[in-house]
């Protein structure tokens, strides 16, 4: 590939680029979904291509192709330069990249069991066993179980002298059971919804999740929800379990901390951010126990990398410190806008086809001191909300509303029943300001998000959010009633 | 894209099918795309991209077992891997008792969806449009953000039972958000298959007009309001009814809001929805991903839910005929309507405003999501212009609201349907006035 890389970068420089980089990505995906005992999705996918990014006349150009031949790459580099020339026609200021030393390095994610070496029949056998347990009761009309494995190999090279080879493996899966009555449709999922749990690891994750041991409980809870009372409407103390709290962090802290959103780059699509730069290190984002950390080095995190797509080494830093807004997600282009000399390494692209933009790295709420049992015992009138079902937040990331699969009713320190269709709604800083208890390290897990959408053209990214159950006081619940 | 043609696709299909072991049937889908997008914000271009790719997806059937694979290279080695992988994976798959034999040869209508001029738009031409938009925004003292994109695609479907279908299409889109310095924005967008038909000036004027109106929005209490939903706002929520409700699989799964309600009145009698890939406004594919010809399907007639769309599997299970709405097989989602038209009325948007004593005018919605499937309750935010209408006039802009509302309930109270029909993805629809709509909370802007 070195000849292809030299050709791409050389052509860009000959054509007048002041900077160029290339990412060549070779990826493999295996996805198996069993729905009601038959194959729902089966994907054995190979994908290969290259994206070339250049700066000419102080403006960006980008072109990507699956034709990674000498002719294809040279044409791709020429097109990237021509596109940059047209970007420069409407530039406000010349692109200025934060300093980054050239890196020549290799980085690989860790795993114990290579999922691509695990026989397909073993994977099918697991999913079919889960399916059988879930559909033992005829009220379960839909049972769906998923396994997904990805391996990506990437070379990043730039005209500044970086040459970085990376390889990572993602494994994950989960299942859901939907119970149906004449007037209702209720779903329970394990270990979380929308495909389950995902980590940067191997098949050992699947073996650790005990799919079979949880299937009967999930089936019975889905059926129980059909006859459960509706979530009450009003104000309640709520405890969010880890996977729902992960999505809360994602939507109300992760996205508004993206510096490109703050500067309006997403104004036409995903929106902007209420966390404008004058708020840095002064704005009370949450209660004093709220500490949120961005971490591109988190073991098993889906966004963990050696380097980002700017060739910047991964970093760890506070977004919220003792409840105060403390930092942003940055790239080499925008770091200087908040007075930082180096990028935090958050520029990532969806595969070879796309231009890197600021994406969330792994973002986690640091644990507190509570034992989970003590947190329940300490709550007089509340709801424990588990596993996301619905999410929505406004374009500045203030007004949010989430729905969960199940709500457990807490009265006088005890769980006394369940409710269906639980929803809660709030305004981001008020909500995080009402956080008065967080469980300790024993209950803290990274939860994977594999479908985060942003950008035009649309890009998908994956990241993890570490969380332990936490309590929020006096929150609006039962919005849909 | 220069090398991609029906003749090229035929050669690829022959090569792939020639590698199959005996006893295997196969279905081949090739999707080639070349696209480009110029993205701007704060009155400058900050992202400008192009991409070209072609992919091959193969489904093999061996008795009652299925296997599949996909790649994006067409050399012998890669194609060989794709065939081997699909064949090997099929051996371990559970038997599907309902698997159907592949479709035989079919005839398809010719649909004009390709514009050479649109396909040939380059970065220079896209920049010309963006410069025009930004200059106009600047002249008003505003900032512009948005995209101008174009692309072309080729789709080929063939199987070992004689199906051979190809389709070529183009697309051009312009979306614009205008931001004023008084806490307000305006937005408009349009997408066409042909650059000659793109209403560039209209989008520009509408977005700027909204930004002019949307200065220093005031606060109103959330609650039930009469709403005038502009065409994009209707699409943002009614499209959920299409893919959550009108597919045969959603009905069989019990998640559709139409369960037990087919043949009954589910919307106001003013509403008629027809899925028609052969419509003149924005034609779709003339075939589905099994190779069945697309059928015109009346989904809702004068408020009554008439029909679902089907692939062959859901049709068999419901004793119906395929309507030619299959997605690539196998899939969990089932068939969905992809080219649905809501019959327009004869009212202009201004007429709806003039006839409103008190209500809200909604430009479009943001981040809409499903809350409950069986009652089709959705939530989402208003965006880029929410206006109070009193005594037939727009009075002032309002800070954005969140809605939480049942879609069948909301569209059971249609007061007026507009004449302004517009394309938005899977739906082609006019604006509408609804008698009542539930806004459940507000936000700070």
């Amino acid at each position: 590939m070195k000849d292809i890389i030299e050709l791409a970068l050389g052509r860009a420089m000959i054509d007048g680029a002041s900077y160029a980089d290339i990412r060549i990505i070779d990826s493999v995906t295996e996805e198996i979904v069993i729905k009601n005992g038959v194959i729902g999705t089966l994907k054995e996918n190979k994908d290969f291509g290259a994206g070339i990014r250049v700066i000419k006349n102080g403006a960006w150009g980008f072109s990507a192709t699956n034709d990674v031949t000498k002719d294809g790459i040279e044409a791709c580099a020429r097109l990237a330069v021509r596109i940059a020339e047209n970007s420069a026609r409407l530039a406000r200021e010349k692109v200025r990249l934060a300093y980054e030393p050239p890196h020549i390095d290799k980085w690989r994610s860790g795993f114990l069991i290579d999922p691509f070496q695990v026989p397909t029949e073993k994977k099918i056998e697991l999913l079919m066993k889960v399916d059988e347990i879930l559909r033992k009761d005829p009220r379960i009309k839909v049972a769906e179980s998923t396994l997904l494995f990805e391996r990506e190999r990437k070379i990043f090279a730039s005209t500044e002298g970086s040459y970085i080879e990376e390889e990572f493996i993602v494994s994950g899966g989960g299942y859901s059971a939907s119970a149906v009555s004449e007037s209702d449709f209720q779903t329970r999922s394990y270990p979380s919804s929308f495909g389950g749990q995902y980590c940067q690891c191997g098949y050992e994750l699947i073996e650790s999740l005990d799919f079979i041991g949880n299937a009967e409980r999930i089936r019975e809870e889905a059926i129980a929800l059909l006859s459960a009372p509706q979530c009450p409407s009003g104000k309640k103390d709520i405890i969010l379990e880890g996977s729902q709290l992960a999505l809360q962090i994602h939507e109300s802290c992760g996205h508004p901390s993206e510096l490109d959103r703050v500067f309006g780059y997403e104004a036409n699509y995903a929106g902007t951010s209420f966390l404008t730069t004058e708020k840095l290190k002064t704005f009370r984002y949450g209660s004093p126990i709220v500490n949120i950390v961005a971490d591109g080095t988190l073991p098993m995190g889906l966004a963990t990398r050696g380097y980002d797509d700017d060739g910047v080494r991964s970093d760890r830093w506070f977004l919220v410190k003792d409840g105060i807004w403390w930092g942003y997600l940055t790239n080499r282009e925008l770091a200087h806008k908040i007075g930082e000399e180096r990028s935090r390494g958050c520029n990532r692209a969806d595969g070879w086809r796309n231009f890197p933009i600021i994406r969330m790295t792994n973002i986690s709420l640091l644990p507190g001191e509570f034992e989970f049992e003590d947190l329940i015992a300490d709550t007089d009138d509340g709801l424990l909300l588990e596993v996301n079902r619905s999410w929505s937040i406004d374009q500045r990331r203030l007004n949010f509303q989430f729905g969960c699969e199940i709500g457990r009713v807490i009265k006088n320190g005890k769980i006394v029943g369940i409710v269906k269709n639980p929803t809660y709604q709030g305004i981001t800083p008020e909500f995080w300001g009402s956080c008065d208890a967080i469980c300790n390290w024993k209950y803290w897990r990274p939860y994977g998000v594999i479908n985060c959408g942003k950008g035009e053209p649309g890009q998908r990214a994956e990241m993890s959010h570490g969380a332990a159950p936490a309590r929020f006081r006096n929150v609006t619940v039962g919005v849909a009633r | 894209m220069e090398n991609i043609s029906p003749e090229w696709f035929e050669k690829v299909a022959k090569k792939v099918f020639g590698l199959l072991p005996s006893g295997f049937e196969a279905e081949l889908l090739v999707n080639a795309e070349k696209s480009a997008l110029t993205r701007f914000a704060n009155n400058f271009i900050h992202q400008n991209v192009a991409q070209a790719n072609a992919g091959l997806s193969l489904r093999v059937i061996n008795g009652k077992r299925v296997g599949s694979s996909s790649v994006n290279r067409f050399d012998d080695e890669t194609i060989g891997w794709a065939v081997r992988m699909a064949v090997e994976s099929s051996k371990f798959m559970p038997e599907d008792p309902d698997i159907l034999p592949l479709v035989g040869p079919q005839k398809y209508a010719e649909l004009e969806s390709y514009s050479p001029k649109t396909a040939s738009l380059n970065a220079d031409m896209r920049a010309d449009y963006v410069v025009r938009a930004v200059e106009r925004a600047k002249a008003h003292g505003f900032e512009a953000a948005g995209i101008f994109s174009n692309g072309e695609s080729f789709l080929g479907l063939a199987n070992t039972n004689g199906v051979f279908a190809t389709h070529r299409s183009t697309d051009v889109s312009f979306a614009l958000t205008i931001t004023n310095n008084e806490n307000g924005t305006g937005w408009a967008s349009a997408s066409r298959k042909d650059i000659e038909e793109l209403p560039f000036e209209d989008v520009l004027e509408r977005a700027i007009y909204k930004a002019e109106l949307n200065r220093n929005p005031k606060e109103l209490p959330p609650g039930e309001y009469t709403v005038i939903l502009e065409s994009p706002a209707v699409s943002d929520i009614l499209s959920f009814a299409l893919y959550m409700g009108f597919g045969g699989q959603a009905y069989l799964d019990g998640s559709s809001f139409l369960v037990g309600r087919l043949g009954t009145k589910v919307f106001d009698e003013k509403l008629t929805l027809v899925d028609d890939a052969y419509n003149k406004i924005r034609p779709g594919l003339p075939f589905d991903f099994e190779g069945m010809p697309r059928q015109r399907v009346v989904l809702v007639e004068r408020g009554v839910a008439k029909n679902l769309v089907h692939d062959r599997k859901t049709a068999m299970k419901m004793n119906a005929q395929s309507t030619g709405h299959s997605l690539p097989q196998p899939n969990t989602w089932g068939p969905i309507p992809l080219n649905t038209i809501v019959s327009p009325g004869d009212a202009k948007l201004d007429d709806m405003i003039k006839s409103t004593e008190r209500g809200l005018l909604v430009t479009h919605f943001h981040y809409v999501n499903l809350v409950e499937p069986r009652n089709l309750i959705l939530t989402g935010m208003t965006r880029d212009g929410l206006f109070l209408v009193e005594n037939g006039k727009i009075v002032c802009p309002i800070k954005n609201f969140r809605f939480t509302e049942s879609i069948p309930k909301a569209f059971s109270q249609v007061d007026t349907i507009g004449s302004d029909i517009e394309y938005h993805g899977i739906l082609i629809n006019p604006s509408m006035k609804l008698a009542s709509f539930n806004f459940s909370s507000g936000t700070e802007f």
Side-chain angles (χ1 to χ4, degrees):
Chain A
M1 278 300 147
K2 286 204 169 168
D3 54 341
I4 290 282
I5 290 165
E6 280 169 15
L7 180 64
L9 301 183
R11 171 47 59 194
M13 298 304 271
I14 289 167
D15 284 3
S18 57
Y19 170 88
D21 61 42
I22 180 169
R23 287 173 299 115
I24 300 174
I25 296 178
D26 191 354
S27 63
V28 183
T29 306
E30 180 185 27
E31 184 181 16
I32 305 168
V33 181
I34 297 287
K35 182 177 178 181
N36 290 350
V38 299
I39 285 292
T41 304
L42 176 60
K43 199 190 279 177
E44 301 280 359
N45 178 55
K46 265 189 171 185
D47 187 64
F48 181 68
I52 299 170
R53 185 174 69 149
V54 307
I55 298 173
K56 183 173 181 185
N57 301 337
W60 287 115
F62 176 81
S63 179
T65 181
N66 65 330
D67 182 8
V68 191
T69 59
K70 285 186 176 177
D71 287 349
I73 283 296
E74 188 161 20
C76 186
R78 282 185 189 278
L79 180 56
V81 174
R82 206 156 64 238
I83 287 172
E85 288 164 357
N86 279 287
S87 303
R89 287 173 56 194
L90 200 62
R92 193 173 54 183
E93 58 190 12
K94 288 187 188 301
V95 172
R96 183 178 131 198
L97 298 179
Y99 171 74
E100 187 66 25
H103 300 282
I104 298 171
D105 203 356
K106 288 183 181 178
W107 179 88
R108 288 181 76 170
S109 71
F111 60 86
L112 296 177
I113 304 168
D114 183 346
F116 295 97
Q117 298 301 318
V118 175
T120 305
E121 55 264 48
K122 185 178 174 183
K123 296 165 184 164
I124 297 280
E125 191 184 329
L126 172 66
L127 297 185
M128 289 299 281
K129 181 67 186 162
V130 168
D131 183 84
E132 186 191 325
I133 299 169
L134 294 180
R135 290 195 298 135
K136 258 188 185 149
D137 189 306
R139 285 171 290 182
I140 299 296
K141 199 122 182 237
V142 184
E144 205 168 302
S145 47
T146 302
L147 289 175
L148 173 68
F149 308 99
E150 295 173 346
R151 185 185 63 220
E152 181 175 303
R153 291 179 175 138
K154 176 169 66 181
I155 301 172
F156 170 91
S158 77
T159 51
E160 292 178 342
S162 279
Y163 189 92
I164 300 162
E165 293 174 75
E166 291 198 324
E167 177 178 340
F168 65 86
I169 284 180
V170 168
S171 298
Y175 55 85
S176 63
S178 296
V180 178
S181 68
E182 207 168 288
S183 58
D184 207 355
F185 183 92
Q186 291 292 334
T187 300
R188 284 290 286 126
S189 306
Y190 178 81
S192 57
S193 49
F194 305 106
Q197 167 70 315
Y198 294 83
C199 289
Q200 205 175 69
C201 63
Y203 198 79
E204 65 275 10
L205 172 72
I206 307 303
E207 295 187 339
S208 73
L209 286 173
D210 192 10
F211 273 25
I212 289 168
N214 284 279
E216 195 173 317
R217 174 179 64 83
I218 289 298
R219 179 189 72 213
E220 294 306 313
E221 284 185 352
I223 291 165
L225 281 169
L226 291 175
S227 53
Q230 294 283 353
C231 175
S233 296
K235 296 275 189 182
K236 292 270 183 198
D237 294 340
I238 63 170
I239 296 170
L240 299 184
E241 61 81 37
S243 75
Q244 174 56 34
L245 189 51
L247 196 64
Q248 181 76 49
I249 294 164
H250 180 93
E251 300 289 3
S252 64
C253 180
H255 278 305
S257 66
E258 296 160 346
L259 199 56
D260 56 344
R261 286 185 71 118
V262 174
F263 284 108
Y265 285 24
E266 287 283 335
N268 183 62
Y269 182 62
T272 56
S273 172
F274 76 98
L275 289 169
T276 43
T277 52
E278 80 283 357
K279 292 187 171 81
L280 190 61
K281 299 193 174 164
T282 59
F283 178 71
R284 178 151 290 286
Y285 175 89
S287 67
I289 64 166
V290 173
N291 286 285
I292 298 177
V293 166
D295 186 357
T297 68
L298 178 73
M300 297 173 72
L302 288 178
T304 298
R305 302 284 188 276
Y307 301 84
D308 74 351
D309 291 336
D310 271 343
V312 174
R313 199 189 291 273
S314 294
D315 198 359
R316 184 177 191 272
W317 69 106
F318 278 100
L319 296 182
V320 178
K321 195 173 183 184
D322 302 328
I324 302 297
W325 184 248
W326 209 256
Y328 288 98
L329 307 176
T330 66
N331 62 6
R332 290 184 71 188
E333 182 183 355
L334 294 180
H336 73 93
K337 299 260 184 194
I338 53 167
E340 295 193 355
E341 290 182 3
R342 300 283 295 273
S343 162
R344 296 288 190 176
C346 302
N347 227 24
R348 285 196 290 150
D350 180 2
W352 54 268
R353 292 176 185 80
N354 287 292
F355 183 82
I357 56 177
I358 293 179
R359 299 310 308 253
M360 260 179 255
T361 182
N362 310 298
I363 295 174
S364 304
L365 175 68
L366 296 186
E369 294 173 353
F370 265 80
E371 293 294 333
F372 182 67
E373 296 74 16
D374 295 343
L375 183 56
I376 299 291
D378 188 57
T379 303
D380 291 333
D381 180 19
L383 287 169
L384 167 63
L385 302 179
E386 295 179 5
V387 181
N388 182 263
R389 191 168 87 166
S390 171
W391 65 99
S392 174
I393 189 163
D394 74 38
Q395 60 269 33
R396 292 188 196 169
R397 302 276 149 175
L398 283 161
N399 179 317
F400 62 81
Q401 185 168 308
F402 290 98
C404 293
E405 288 186 352
I406 190 167
R408 300 189 196 275
V409 180
I410 306 167
K411 288 282 182 202
N412 302 319
K414 290 197 169 79
I415 293 174
V416 295
I418 60 170
V419 291
K420 64 179 164 189
N421 304 324
T423 53
Y424 68 98
Q425 183 273 327
I427 297 290
T428 295
E430 288 171 18
F431 180 77
W432 283 103
S434 75
C435 180
D436 76 336
I438 305 171
C439 287
N440 65 39
W441 277 111
K442 273 198 306 199
Y443 307 94
W444 191 94
R445 308 266 185 288
Y447 296 90
V449 172
I450 58 166
N451 58 352
C452 174
K454 186 182 172 185
E456 295 174 289
Q459 298 193 41
R460 184 186 72 93
E462 39 197 35
M463 62 287 294
S464 296
H465 302 295
R471 182 172 62 194
F472 300 83
R473 295 287 196 183
N474 206 29
V475 176
T476 299
V477 298
V479 187
R481 292 297 103 209
Chain B
M1 292 294 287
E2 294 73 24
N3 305 326
I4 310 275
S5 65
E7 294 73 29
W8 169 83
F9 175 56
E10 195 171 8
K11 282 183 194 162
V12 172
K14 264 189 188 163
K15 186 189 284 184
V16 170
F17 295 158
L19 293 170
L20 289 168
S22 93
F24 275 78
E25 295 181 278
E27 182 180 80
L28 177 70
L29 178 70
V30 162
N31 191 356
E33 186 192 15
K34 189 174 157 189
S35 62
L37 183 144
T38 301
R39 196 174 192 207
F40 53 102
N42 307 318
N43 288 342
F44 75 96
I45 294 171
H46 64 94
Q47 186 183 320
N48 208 347
V49 301
Q51 64 150 300
N53 192 22
L56 170 162
S57 297
L58 177 66
R59 178 169 71 114
V60 301
I61 298 172
N62 181 19
K64 292 194 175 298
R65 297 179 201 275
V66 63
S68 70
S69 63
S70 55
V71 294
N72 73 333
R73 281 188 283 182
F74 290 80
D75 56 88
D76 290 350
E77 188 188 334
T78 307
I79 285 180
W81 181 89
V83 174
R84 272 197 317 281
M85 189 52 79
V87 167
E88 284 302 309
S89 66
S90 73
K91 292 177 182 169
F92 308 112
M93 295 302 140
E95 288 197 347
D96 182 351
D98 298 327
I99 201 161
L100 293 164
L102 292 172
V103 174
Q106 304 285 324
K107 285 190 174 168
Y108 310 108
E110 287 284 325
L111 285 177
E112 193 52 60
S113 299
Y114 186 81
S115 149
K117 191 170 179 185
T118 306
S120 66
L121 281 171
N122 60 27
D124 197 14
M125 295 164 181
R126 287 192 303 278
D128 286 344
Y129 283 103
V130 173
V131 167
R132 270 167 66 189
V134 166
E135 281 177 355
R136 194 81 66 84
K138 279 182 176 171
H140 286 77
F142 296 155
E143 294 211 316
I147 56 117
F148 193 100
S149 70
N150 69 300
E152 61 176 311
S153 66
F154 171 92
L155 193 75
L157 180 75
N159 72 28
T160 48
N161 209 20
V163 159
F164 187 84
T166 62
H167 185 69
R168 197 178 270 276
S169 62
T170 48
D171 177 85
V172 56
S173 296
F174 175 48
L176 182 62
T177 298
I178 298 287
T179 303
N180 62 38
N181 56 8
E182 291 167 90
N183 205 25
T185 52
W187 172 89
S189 78
S191 175
R192 296 288 187 273
K193 67 180 192 303
D194 189 343
I195 181 67
E196 299 286 0
E197 297 168 4
L198 186 76
F200 178 82
E201 280 296 326
D202 180 56
V203 169
L204 191 45
E205 277 176 24
R206 279 191 289 141
I208 287 174
Y209 169 70
K210 284 287 174 68
E212 289 281 9
L213 281 183
N214 192 14
R215 295 173 188 268
N216 299 316
K218 295 182 171 52
E219 206 165 316
L220 268 190
E224 296 273 344
Y225 288 87
T226 292
V227 286
I228 301 161
L229 304 180
E230 293 197 25
S231 175
V234 171
S235 171
D236 287 336
I237 54 176
L238 196 56
S239 55
F240 273 79
L242 293 180
Y243 57 81
M244 300 301 301
F246 284 90
Q249 191 62 52
Y251 193 90
L252 287 166
D253 287 349
S255 61
S256 165
F257 74 100
L258 294 175
V259 172
R261 301 182 73 187
L262 267 181
T264 70
K265 193 162 169 286
V266 294
F267 293 141
D268 190 281
E269 64 186 15
K270 295 183 193 73
L271 273 185
T272 293
L273 279 72
V274 177
D275 194 72
D276 184 3
Y278 307 101
N279 76 81
K280 300 277 186 245
I281 298 165
R282 185 68 176 221
L285 273 176
F287 51 88
D288 74 3
F289 291 92
E290 289 180 304
M292 293 296 288
R294 298 284 301 279
Q295 306 290 324
R296 183 179 182 275
V297 180
V298 177
L299 303 174
V300 175
E301 190 171 29
R302 294 182 187 175
V304 176
K306 286 286 187 185
N307 296 292
L308 305 172
V309 296
H310 288 292
D311 56 23
R312 292 188 306 145
K313 204 166 189 175
T314 64
M316 182 185 70
K317 288 183 174 176
M318 293 185 71
N319 201 22
Q321 298 291 314
S322 167
T323 58
H325 284 79
S326 177
L327 298 179
Q329 297 285 347
N331 67 73
T332 56
W333 194 253
I336 52 172
L338 291 169
N339 306 93
T340 300
I341 301 163
V342 181
S343 298
D346 50 16
K348 292 189 171 155
L349 191 65
D350 281 351
D351 298 334
M352 288 191 239
I353 294 169
K354 277 178 195 161
S355 66
T356 302
E357 198 174 312
R358 191 164 195 269
L360 294 172
L361 171 66
V362 180
T363 301
H364 69 146
F365 291 113
H366 170 81
Y367 222 139
V368 180
N369 212 331
L370 180 69
V371 178
E372 279 185 47
R374 280 292 276 273
N375 294 309
L376 200 59
I377 295 174
L378 305 181
T379 190
M381 296 295 303
T382 62
R383 182 168 177 177
D384 300 320
L386 175 68
F387 302 97
L388 178 64
V389 176
E390 282 183 335
N391 301 318
K393 285 184 180 152
I394 292 174
V395 177
C396 63
I398 300 299
K399 287 185 180 178
N400 287 297
F401 278 142
R402 168 172 299 286
F403 74 89
T404 305
E405 181 59 284
S406 160
I407 296 312
K409 175 177 156 277
F411 285 93
S412 292
Q413 306 170 72
V414 176
D415 179 276
T416 315
I417 298 187
S419 56
D420 53 337
I421 197 154
E422 180 63 59
Y423 163 79
H424 309 283
I426 64 169
L427 200 58
I428 300 167
N429 64 275
S431 54
M432 285 185 209
K433 183 162 135 184
L434 309 182
S436 181
F437 198 75
N438 180 42
F439 291 106
S440 51
S441 58
T443 191
E444 294 179 6
F445 57 95

